[in-house]
Amino acid sequence: MTVAVPAYRVPQYRRYVAGEAVSVLGDQIWYVALSWAAVQLASPGVAGVVLAVSAVPRLLLMVLGGPLADRFDARRLMVGSDALRAVIMLVAAGIALAATEIWLLVVVALIFGAVDAVFMPAAGSLRPRLLETEQLSDGAALRELGVRAALMLGAPLGGVLVTVGGLALACAVNAVTFVVSLLAIRTLTPRPIERVEQREPYGVALRAGLRYLLSHKLLLPLMLVTLLFNIGFVGPMNIGLALLSEERGWGAQGIGFLLAGFGVGAAIGSIVMLRVRIRSHIGIGIAVCACGEAVGIAGATLAPNLGLAVASTALVGLLGGPLGILCGSLSQANTDDAFRGRTSSVQALLTLGVTPLVMAAVGWLAGEFGTTPVMLASAAVEATAAVPCLLLARLRTASITQGADRG
């Protein structure tokens, strides 16, 4: 039996990860530049509204982009999305050099969000067609490292660009990132899939995708795990740590240490997953990671000093990376080619879609009931994500190397 080489040794997959990471980097630069420009033109409150409005089409169209990724060439959709976003950024740079007005920013943000929504379902559909099934786990780990690096670098780079050259420079550099991503993705040659000549109407295709997910013995509990995981994770790590640091007197430096601990843990977890291939009992592994993350969130909440809190956030990062990698690779290995785009779009909605809602809810609940109870409740939700894993563990075929039964 031939053992597949690690995913990081596959040249075209490295190009894919580089292209997607650079595209995510461009997204981060844009959102920082957009918020900076909105603050300059109006106020922080207006900036928040502009950012929220810009996210609406992205979230609404993300699920709608799934059937497109299944119907058309996913690689071309990604290339087209990058090309259009590059043009939009060049137009935004030109607007910034002229008389910038808040309504123009909103229009550009809405168009950008709509185009951006096509990229992720297409990327999720393309990714598993670049690798063998046995490579999906370490492939997901490599992608996690690339995307996480882009997220960490994007915001500081966006801040430097708007400080040096304002919105115009940030948008111009952003356009370059999308061109780089485009050039990388154009070189890919994914495994071909069979396409039905008689294309069903768009609405029928969308409903068929939802029925497929709801009737799937493995993907349905896996989607529930993803939703619970993000509900329990997003609020504490984005809002909760800042509130805790303020209440405990750790200040802005404390927030930095807490996030650094998480980042180091996440990097170590992803690197380990590059070398380790889990072939069985994946449901149990996901459950352990979810429970461990719950312990980490509770530990950071109840820690008597900053050192123990940082150790707790490092635990969250250490287990969060493998949890996301296992869920993603398990989903890819057990999704039919015909439904990859629609499955990916729903997964993106359950991760990115819940983020603004959960953050808003955690902020409000912390103000009403206190930070500690809300953080502990989030940890409980995180632990609850282990319950659907029992369904995964009961499926004998719930593995990355062998697809699960469907129906």
Side-chain angles (χ1 to χ4, degrees):
M1 177 179 177
T2 303
V3 179
V5 300
Y8 60 80
R9 291 186 180 176
V10 179
Q12 73 166 349
Y13 189 73
R14 292 200 301 267
R15 293 196 299 274
Y16 164 83
V17 170
E20 186 179 16
V22 172
S23 182
V24 172
L25 181 74
D27 282 345
Q28 296 303 109
I29 292 173
W30 163 243
Y31 284 116
V32 170
L34 177 64
S35 61
W36 178 86
V39 169
Q40 298 298 309
L41 292 172
S43 66
V46 174
V49 172
V50 172
L51 286 173
V53 169
S54 69
V56 169
R58 188 171 184 243
L59 297 178
L60 292 179
L61 296 177
M62 200 168 284
V63 171
L64 299 180
L68 295 179
D70 288 330
R71 178 172 297 189
F72 301 105
D73 189 317
R75 183 178 65 89
R76 290 183 179 180
L77 287 175
M78 293 173 69
V79 168
S81 176
D82 277 335
L84 284 174
R85 286 185 291 179
V87 170
I88 293 169
M89 286 298 99
L90 291 176
V91 171
I95 292 174
L97 289 173
T100 306
E101 296 183 25
I102 194 70
W103 69 270
L104 286 173
L105 281 180
V106 173
V107 171
V108 171
L110 289 171
I111 297 174
F112 182 89
V115 176
D116 194 40
V118 177
F119 186 89
M120 288 191 178
S125 173
L126 184 72
R127 193 182 314 132
R129 293 165 52 203
L130 299 173
L131 299 171
E132 299 295 331
T133 303
E134 294 81 3
Q135 298 169 316
L136 290 176
S137 178
D138 46 291
L142 182 62
R143 176 184 175 270
E144 179 80 8
L145 280 173
V147 171
R148 193 170 295 281
L151 291 171
M152 291 177 63
L153 294 174
L157 179 58
V160 170
L161 291 173
V162 295
T163 300
V164 172
L167 178 63
L169 177 61
C171 290
V173 172
N174 201 3
V176 173
T177 67
F178 292 125
V179 173
V180 172
S181 173
L182 180 157
L183 294 175
I185 293 169
R186 281 186 74 250
T187 66
L188 304 179
T189 53
R191 171 177 56 81
I193 60 175
E194 293 185 13
R195 296 190 182 277
V196 181
E197 294 297 327
Q198 183 79 29
R199 288 177 177 168
E200 56 191 354
Y202 182 88
V204 173
L206 184 62
R207 291 192 296 271
L210 294 176
R211 284 197 302 270
Y212 172 78
L213 288 174
L214 292 174
S215 62
H216 200 293
K217 291 181 179 179
L218 188 145
L219 292 180
L220 182 60
L222 197 58
M223 294 290 178
L224 183 57
V225 170
T226 301
L227 178 61
L228 292 172
F229 164 67
N230 282 283
I231 290 176
F233 170 85
V234 167
M237 299 308 294
N238 287 276
I239 300 294
L241 294 184
L243 295 175
L244 278 177
S245 190
E246 180 182 5
E247 292 178 4
R248 307 286 170 81
W250 298 333
Q253 186 179 21
I255 300 174
F257 280 124
L258 291 170
L259 291 176
F262 170 78
V264 170
I268 293 173
S270 297
I271 291 172
V272 169
M273 291 299 292
L274 278 174
R275 306 298 301 177
V276 176
R277 291 181 180 176
I278 301 176
R279 300 181 182 277
S280 60
H281 305 297
I282 295 177
I284 296 175
I286 295 173
V288 170
C289 288
C291 291
E293 281 217 340
V295 171
I297 292 173
T301 305
L302 302 174
N305 56 60
L306 180 59
L308 288 176
V310 170
S312 296
T313 60
L315 176 64
V316 174
L318 182 66
L319 296 176
L323 192 153
I325 290 165
L326 289 174
C327 286
S329 53
L330 185 60
S331 173
Q332 289 172 357
N334 292 278
T335 300
D336 293 329
D337 281 342
F339 292 94
R340 290 200 182 279
R342 281 164 283 188
T343 300
S344 177
S345 65
V346 173
Q347 288 174 326
L349 183 67
L350 295 180
T351 53
L352 296 174
V354 303
T355 298
L357 299 176
V358 173
M359 289 174 62
V362 167
W364 179 79
L365 290 170
E368 292 291 321
F369 304 104
T371 302
T372 297
V374 173
M375 289 282 283
L376 293 178
S378 297
V381 172
E382 190 77 10
T384 304
V387 175
C389 295
L390 299 177
L391 295 176
L392 300 180
R394 290 179 61 187
L395 294 174
R396 294 173 60 86
T397 51
S399 70
I400 292 174
T401 57
Q402 180 182 0
D405 293 336
R406 295 169 175 82

